[in-house]
Amino acid sequence: MYEGAVQDLIDELGRLPGVGPKGAQRIAFHLLQSDPSDVERLVATLTAVKERVRFCELCFNVAEAERCRICQDPRRDPSAICVVEEPKDVVAIERTREFRGRYHVLGGAISPIDGVGPDDLHVRELVARLSDSAVEEVIIATDPNLEGEATASYLSRLLKDVGVRVSRLASGLPVGGDLEYADEVTLGRAFEGRRLLNA
Amino acid sequence: MHLRHVSVADFRSYESADLALGPGVTTLVGLNGQGKTNLVEAVGYLSSLGSHRVSTDAPLVRAGAERAIIRAAVIRQDRETMVEIEIHPGRTNRARLARAAVSRPRDLLGTLRTVLFAPEDLALVKGDPGERRRFLDDLLVARQPRWSGVRADLDRILKQRSALLKSAAPQLRRSGRRSAPRVDDGALSADREAALVTLDVWNSQLAMVGSQLLYARLRLLRDLTPHLTQAYAEVSGGQGQASVSYRSTVHAELAQAIAAGEVPEVADLHAAMVQTMAEVRDQEIERAVNLVGPHRDDLLLTLGDLPAKGYASHGESWSFALGLKLAAYHLLRHDLGEDPVLILDDVFAELDAGRRERLAALVGDCEQVIITAAVPEDVPTALVGRTYAVSLGCVQESP
């Protein structure tokens, strides 16, 4: 145990995801030894993040205005919406530069163990977006785990009668990998989702 | 395959122990509580990544030590592979294969295959259905490791679904009964509809994974049954016929066909599970329990015309459990084209002289058999082979 403020700082840092007690201690002493201006900048950033950043009213991605940069961008294709679990998934897909449509961030996946049902996700807002715009396709890009699959299957049922195309990201072998290193589940899925080459 | 060498460190009662083994029979002899079973438990752990005696890893580590290590040299088709696992209770275990670290301990599965018969296996006959399901599922994984992933998925789905049945119980139960219409009935039934749609999603997940596991179990049972009948007949000297049939929780019609030994197509099992879940929905909601699926199924073991549970004598039950394990051995041997390592922990003390001799004859042609016994005289002379004396956690080869 350290005295007063130092221990408080370690405890606070230790509550962050991915930071254990040892890591918290290391960060705390790094901050203690660093230049006061550096610490002030960090404090200012933290305050700004809570003050300025909010969630886009349309897609629930992180935003600094009422709408996020992607929703504001007129060059984005309004006919396709990609549904993801978290804002960080948006960043992951943006890095591919393959997708030029817009996003919808659910804010999680259906998981009764964690008390998360469809009502806790931005599902209703998704349905609302589909009714009054030129959306032709919804691409479901939830995680390929049990909860993500359950969410995908929930959405596909819900959107069955809405009159848009609903697709799901393929799952299978990683590119550049070796077949022999793929685990059985991935390889099994890849078999299921195989494509004809001579069609 | 056989083990050339096994060593443990800080495992159970052992600070360290080394055991040189070879093809044929090795017998570990020692008084009660000296650590014979601990050694075969270690070998079993390497092949299944779990103990046959406890469900958690903590008791496996010697008191005061942080981790336990099990190491073995496995010889398959004249090639030697080192298998090693470090057991860290509460943390991730670390595994090494041929001295190279593997990313997941699961990657060890399949290198060393064992069939272990221990006194705990009496529960296969006398115990709860869970014991018999575990026997089937463990054997599935031993045949094809990918089933361990399916098992884990099923467990997770069942947890999610029962959490849903519990948490959504108020919405699901409401208006389930035909009560007089009230003003806010519209809102209530909309809530119920929404909860039912979510339940449906988990139903389809459960049906998809559950029907796969069910299908796999049925096929396994179909392959296993002839081996069981034969093994039991050989151990018992032809007294009574052992058979086994699968009790499924899918609706009656298909369950009957399954009990009669038919193996329906996965698609039919899937459809039957969906239908059965629809039939028992109100009960499931009422009790907030998953009532349909492989996790509620059982095996009915029969001896002659009577169920083994409750009717068979102690010796008969013992022989039945042994028959199941020997059947598993023969099935794996047939599948793999090589012999798994057979481990018989304290099996002879419970058998009459005739059964002992017949068992000895039965396992005489196995590539490697490891036997433990408290009294050396219990082991038929034909089977003694290389003998180690185990006392207070020390292992010494007897002349």
Side-chain angles (χ1 to χ4, degrees):
Chain A
M1 283 291 275
Y2 296 91
E3 279 175 39
V6 180
Q7 187 61 42
D8 289 347
L9 179 59
I10 293 176
D11 290 348
E12 282 301 320
L13 290 169
R15 295 216 310 243
L16 300 176
V19 181
K22 291 257 170 66
Q25 189 174 311
R26 208 169 135 207
I27 299 169
F29 278 97
H30 173 82
L31 290 175
L32 269 182
Q33 281 161 6
S34 51
D35 209 56
S37 65
D38 285 344
V39 177
E40 273 158 30
R41 208 173 48 244
L42 178 63
V43 169
T45 322
L46 287 174
T47 320
V49 110
K50 282 315 273 184
E51 273 174 5
R52 289 221 303 271
V53 176
R54 44 184 156 170
F55 292 98
C56 170
E57 57 169 21
L58 207 57
C59 74
F60 300 96
N61 192 6
V62 285
E64 291 216 346
E66 281 179 356
R67 295 202 172 173
C68 70
R69 223 180 308 162
I70 295 170
C71 288
Q72 281 176 20
D73 188 345
R75 288 168 303 170
R76 304 293 297 217
D77 177 4
S79 72
I81 292 183
C82 180
V83 180
V84 295
E85 291 182 18
E86 306 285 349
K88 50 184 191 252
D89 301 330
V90 172
V91 177
I93 296 175
E94 280 297 284
R95 273 203 303 264
T96 69
R97 300 179 194 196
E98 287 288 330
F99 180 66
R100 298 302 301 159
R102 297 196 167 136
Y103 292 92
H104 191 86
V105 180
L106 292 173
I110 298 177
S111 174
I113 292 176
D114 306 310
V116 181
D119 290 347
D120 304 303
L121 306 173
H122 300 295
V123 171
R124 223 168 271 155
E125 293 89 340
L126 173 66
V127 178
R129 280 180 78 181
L130 300 183
S131 60
D132 59 19
S133 69
V135 182
E136 287 165 18
E137 180 172 7
V138 171
I139 301 160
I140 303 177
T142 50
D143 289 345
N145 52 26
L146 288 173
E147 290 76 19
E149 292 297 345
T151 311
S153 113
Y154 176 83
L155 290 176
S156 74
R157 275 158 206 246
L158 194 68
L159 304 180
K160 202 171 51 189
D161 306 321
V162 176
V164 295
R165 254 192 314 158
V166 180
S167 58
R168 172 95 177 103
L169 283 197
S171 50
L173 297 170
V175 174
D178 279 331
L179 198 70
E180 55 172 310
Y181 291 123
D183 67 294
E184 308 87 336
V185 181
T186 307
L187 204 49
R189 287 247 195 118
F191 259 98
E192 264 172 31
R194 65 188 185 276
R195 273 180 318 185
L196 278 179
L197 291 179
N198 56 357
Chain B
M1 65 175 67
H2 66 269
L3 290 160
R4 186 184 57 75
H5 184 261
V6 175
S7 68
V8 296
D10 293 324
F11 184 85
R12 291 270 192 191
S13 56
Y14 290 94
E15 197 177 318
S16 75
D18 277 288
L19 206 59
L21 298 162
V25 181
T26 305
T27 309
L28 307 172
V29 180
L31 300 175
N32 296 138
Q34 303 296 306
K36 305 180 293 291
T37 300
N38 294 350
L39 288 173
V40 294
E41 183 184 28
V43 174
Y45 194 99
L46 270 185
S47 80
S48 67
L49 302 181
S51 156
H52 68 286
R53 294 153 88 191
V54 286
S55 55
T56 58
D57 282 347
L60 303 180
V61 178
R62 193 171 65 92
E66 248 183 44
R67 60 177 189 10
I69 300 177
I70 312 171
R71 225 178 255 125
V74 183
I75 300 193
R76 309 175 64 174
Q77 286 145 6
D78 299 328
R79 283 174 174 276
E80 180 167 314
T81 312
M82 284 289 294
V83 193
E84 183 179 330
I85 191 147
E86 249 182 75
I87 304 171
H88 290 265
R91 288 201 281 155
T92 322
N93 292 345
R94 274 191 294 218
R96 267 188 288 274
L97 195 58
R99 300 188 197 282
V102 293
S103 53
R104 294 166 308 175
R106 201 147 71 84
D107 295 340
L108 289 190
L109 290 174
T111 310
L112 169 65
R113 291 180 204 254
T114 62
V115 173
L116 192 159
F117 178 77
E120 284 82 0
D121 289 323
L122 194 57
L124 285 176
V125 182
K126 297 191 169 180
D128 295 331
E131 305 281 347
R132 291 178 282 280
R133 289 193 294 265
R134 198 156 65 99
F135 168 72
L136 278 185
D137 291 348
D138 284 349
L139 187 53
L140 263 184
V141 174
R143 282 181 102 187
Q144 289 171 302
R146 91 176 181 91
W147 288 105
S148 75
V150 176
R151 265 172 102 173
D153 279 359
L154 182 71
D155 284 348
R156 179 100 186 140
I157 291 171
L158 290 169
K159 279 198 191 113
Q160 289 282 20
R161 195 170 176 273
S162 74
L164 176 68
L165 285 168
K166 283 192 188 83
S167 67
Q171 293 90 313
L172 288 167
R173 277 178 202 161
R174 249 183 247 159
S175 76
R177 305 184 189 87
R178 281 156 218 97
S179 53
R182 279 176 302 175
V183 190
D184 57 351
D185 232 29
L188 284 181
S189 61
D191 263 7
R192 180 175 148 84
E193 276 311 306
L196 285 177
V197 172
T198 316
L199 183 60
D200 254 6
V201 166
W202 290 102
N203 283 1
S204 62
Q205 299 265 319
L206 176 55
M208 191 178 68
V209 176
S211 60
Q212 282 179 33
L213 185 66
L214 179 53
Y215 179 67
R217 280 187 188 170
L218 294 176
R219 283 216 317 201
L220 170 67
L221 204 58
R222 185 182 61 192
D223 297 346
L224 187 70
T225 305
H227 292 294
L228 169 70
T229 312
Q230 195 188 350
Y232 186 84
E234 283 173 4
V235 172
S236 69
Q239 289 173 17
Q241 196 191 350
S243 57
V244 54
S245 73
Y246 193 89
R247 292 285 129 121
S248 169
T249 41
V250 296
H251 66 78
E253 206 176 305
L254 200 65
Q256 263 174 18
I258 289 171
E262 277 179 45
V263 182
E265 292 297 318
V266 185
D268 296 335
L269 294 171
H270 184 278
M273 279 189 70
V274 170
Q275 193 194 331
T276 316
M277 278 187 271
E279 285 165 10
V280 302
R281 194 175 73 184
D282 289 342
Q283 274 185 63
E284 285 193 309
I285 291 170
E286 194 62 40
R287 295 169 54 188
V289 179
N290 294 305
L291 291 176
V292 183
H295 64 293
R296 304 273 299 193
D297 295 350
D298 193 6
L299 288 179
L300 181 70
L301 312 178
T302 47
L303 209 48
D305 298 324
L306 294 171
K309 190 176 181 174
Y311 288 88
S313 76
H314 180 74
E316 282 172 332
S317 302
W318 191 265
S319 306
F320 204 123
L322 182 60
L324 283 169
K325 283 296 170 100
L326 290 175
Y329 179 87
H330 285 288
L331 185 66
L332 289 176
R333 170 192 254 184
H334 178 261
D335 270 13
L336 307 171
E338 61 179 341
D339 284 8
V341 175
L342 181 63
I343 303 173
L344 300 173
D345 183 17
D346 224 354
V347 58
F348 291 102
E350 308 269 350
L351 296 175
D352 63 38
R355 288 185 188 216
R356 278 182 201 176
E357 294 300 330
R358 281 192 296 271
L359 177 59
L362 208 57
V363 302
D365 72 328
C366 301
E367 184 173 336
Q368 185 172 46
V369 189
I370 303 174
I371 293 170
T372 76
V375 185
E377 291 73 33
D378 282 349
V379 184
T381 42
L383 263 191
V384 173
R386 192 171 189 172
T387 308
Y388 284 93
V390 180
S391 102
L392 283 175
C394 283
V395 190
Q396 276 186 325
E397 184 156 8
S398 313

